[in-house]
Amino acid sequence: MQDIATTILVCGGGIAGTVAAIAAARAGAGTLLVERWGFLGGSATAAAVGQFVGWETGSGRQVVHGIAEEIVARLVARGAADGHGHFVMSTGHRMDRVNYDPEALKLLLDEMAAEAGVRVLFHAGLMAVAAARRTIEAVTMLTKAGPLRILPRIVVDASGDLDLLARAGAAFLPLDPSESLQPATLMFRFGPIDFAAFEAIPPAERAALAREGVARGMLARAALHASRMPGTDDAWFNIGRVAVDATDPFALSAAEMEGRRQAFRAAAFLRALVPGCAAGRLVALAPQLGIRETRRVRGLYVLTAEDLRAGTMFEDAIAIGAYPIDIHPAQGAGLHFQTLGEDHAYAIPYRALVPDALDNALVAGRGISATHEAHAATRVMPLAMAIGQAAGTAAAMAAAGNLPPALVPAAALQTRLRAARAHLPG
Ligand SMILES: Cc1cc2nc3c(=O)[nH]c(=O)nc-3n(C[C@H](O)[C@H](O)[C@H](O)COP(=O)(O)OP(=O)(O)OC[C@H]3O[C@@H](n4cnc5c(N)ncnc54)[C@H](O)[C@@H]3O)c2cc1C
């Protein structure tokens, strides 16, 4: 088996892992980014989510900047995103968003990774992890050429499902008996749409139509939620719902099939009954089911919904968020959506990125140490990018200082993040 050494290994090229790798490489660390598909972005591209939400407080104060904002600016400059805007959710809440083209995002992430000097390995699935004495010593990926053993100094697990940490023996946070994993959704692209007619549907009629779709068994979620593809008359629809534990391979396989079934039924409903959609058809399915929630690591701090509601500005804050607590229930067609206040923001502490059971690992993205409820706020992509930027920067600092990530001084990390235009308290 071939061995390669790297200072930083980022496992998972989702939006968080890609930003983490860019940040680590920009900080001067040799960085290898491994990804099971042939493109970067994770849910942002492979699940074709199509909109970044959660940049602002309710009163319009932007709290996520840094590499996340750089990505938006570069997408806007090439006509692949429509810039910061707003929409009204099925719950009636006004939400900020940036619609983007997932295909253009793939290309941009390739370019940004290359410019930063990240070494990217595609078509590489995690195979095995060797860990001893709280340290990950080797990570074996299955590639086209067979197993490849990577010897990293610091590992950032950004696989969303935290597959690497699971094999390294990390501890994870349990669900409470009253909680379930958030369901998955297979996004689909539908068009052409007469957007003037579609957007003119009054909110009460839109809600009644969505309920009608559920009553007829054609919609799994009582919403007509869509993000328009910039420059087209198509939209990506997020109106399916499949309850699944995506770490169970056979359950995930069945869920992919159920997601496709739901998407075609939902498209038939749109065409038959929804104003503006009569000429449309299902143009594309996202390459994979979008997974909202799986493992959440047990870190040095567990972020809670109470922390978010209180707006606790931790001393080791590495990112600021403002997105509400947004829980798609595993059963039923509704949404549990709790706003947190007009100009309300909260902080993510660095300790929530540090697994308590390992000395050379960090987490980036949706798997950070947060309760089920807190995760329902922190999972959105602007925050995943901000957390990724912090994780990559911290990994590079740990490697440069020959320190375990837990001992990276928070104040020095904050100074580095601010210099890279991240938004932090104070
Ligand atoms: C259907 C849906 C709708 C959403 N809507 C919105 C929205 O409107 N706006 C918003 O901002 N957020 C939204 N979110 C949330 C957001 O998209 C995700 O929480 C976020 O993208 C997670 O990013 P991540 O990088 O942490 O993880 P992921 O996107 O899950 O990325 C993980 C990466 O790791 C790779 N990987 C996984 N396992 C392995 C392995 N074993 N070996 C190698 N590689 C591996 C994957 O291929 C992937 O590239 C939505 C999520 C879903 C699922």
Side-chain angles (χ1 to χ4, degrees):
M1 190 180 349
Q2 193 193 344
D3 281 356
I4 57 167
T6 182
T7 304
I8 313 287
L9 170 66
V10 179
C11 179
I15 201 73
T18 304
V19 171
I22 291 168
R26 284 183 182 176
T31 303
L32 175 62
L33 173 60
V34 294
E35 164 57 41
R36 64 180 162 175
W37 305 142
F39 53 86
L40 300 172
S43 288
T45 54
V49 166
Q51 57 172 23
F52 301 124
V53 301
W55 300 90
E56 302 179 351
T57 63
S59 55
R61 180 166 56 95
Q62 187 171 338
V63 293
V64 178
H65 294 267
I67 296 175
E69 184 58 31
E70 188 182 332
I71 287 173
V72 171
R74 290 179 70 163
L75 287 172
V76 169
R78 55 183 71 175
D82 58 7
H84 291 277
H86 298 89
F87 72 108
V88 177
M89 300 179 65
S90 58
T91 53
H93 294 97
R94 183 173 181 268
M95 177 57 59
D96 64 271
R97 74 166 157 193
V98 174
N99 287 328
Y100 65 86
D101 173 349
E103 306 305 336
L105 180 61
K106 290 176 186 170
L107 182 67
L108 176 66
L109 296 179
D110 285 347
E111 291 168 4
M112 290 180 67
E115 287 162 13
V118 175
R119 190 171 186 200
V120 176
L121 179 69
F122 284 138
H123 300 298
L126 182 68
M127 197 175 147
V129 177
R133 296 173 302 281
R134 295 175 53 88
T135 302
I136 297 166
E137 294 174 342
V139 174
T140 305
M141 305 299 296
L142 185 58
T143 74
K144 281 290 282 177
L148 172 72
R149 188 162 52 202
I150 300 162
L151 308 172
R153 284 178 57 201
I154 307 285
V155 172
V156 178
D157 190 342
S159 66
D161 301 330
L162 304 188
D163 290 346
L164 196 158
L165 290 189
R167 287 174 179 75
F172 299 98
L173 297 169
L175 290 166
D176 283 350
S178 62
E179 296 170 344
S180 306
L181 291 172
Q182 290 208 40
T185 296
L186 187 66
M187 304 281 301
F188 65 93
R189 179 173 171 172
F190 181 95
I193 295 170
D194 174 351
F195 275 95
F198 182 69
E199 283 167 2
I201 308 172
E205 192 183 320
R206 180 177 285 259
L209 268 170
R211 284 196 302 273
E212 170 78 12
V214 173
R216 290 181 184 223
M218 297 185 82
L219 296 185
R221 176 183 169 197
L224 294 176
H225 184 67
S227 47
R228 186 172 185 166
M229 270 281 283
T232 76
D233 290 327
D234 293 358
W236 286 99
F237 276 84
N238 173 354
I239 50 180
R241 188 168 278 180
V242 188
V244 61
D245 176 353
T247 61
D248 173 339
F250 281 104
L252 179 59
S253 303
E256 291 278 8
M257 293 185 201
E258 171 60 15
R260 274 191 282 282
R261 194 190 68 82
Q262 289 184 6
F264 277 94
R265 287 179 76 83
F269 176 78
L270 293 173
R271 194 167 45 243
L273 283 169
V274 176
C277 295
R281 66 181 179 89
L282 190 153
V283 178
L285 294 165
Q288 68 154 85
L289 192 67
I291 306 301
R292 290 189 174 81
E293 182 180 12
T294 46
R295 300 185 183 99
R296 290 167 287 111
V297 76
R298 193 178 73 203
L300 297 181
Y301 186 84
V302 180
L303 187 68
T304 67
E306 289 66 42
D307 293 325
L308 307 191
R309 291 190 191 103
T312 312
M313 289 294 145
F314 297 95
E315 277 198 7
D316 62 340
I318 48 80
I320 306 283
Y323 190 70
I325 296 172
D326 173 8
I327 304 178
H328 294 244
Q331 305 302 331
L335 193 68
H336 299 313
F337 193 79
Q338 299 166 42
T339 50
L340 300 170
E342 259 307 281
D343 191 40
H344 189 86
Y346 48 81
I348 311 296
Y350 176 56
R351 286 162 294 159
L353 281 55
V354 185
D356 68 357
L358 291 160
D359 286 338
N360 68 336
L362 284 162
V363 172
R366 65 179 166 86
I368 63 164
S369 178
T371 62
H372 168 71
E373 265 193 299
H375 160 275
T378 61
R379 67 192 180 88
V380 289
M381 292 188 279
L383 209 33
M385 290 188 265
I387 291 167
Q389 184 169 356
T393 307
M397 291 172 71
N402 211 13
L403 296 169
L407 296 185
V408 169
L413 174 58
Q414 290 163 339
T415 302
R416 294 281 284 272
L417 290 171
R418 282 197 185 95
R421 294 185 299 282
H423 180 69
L424 293 177

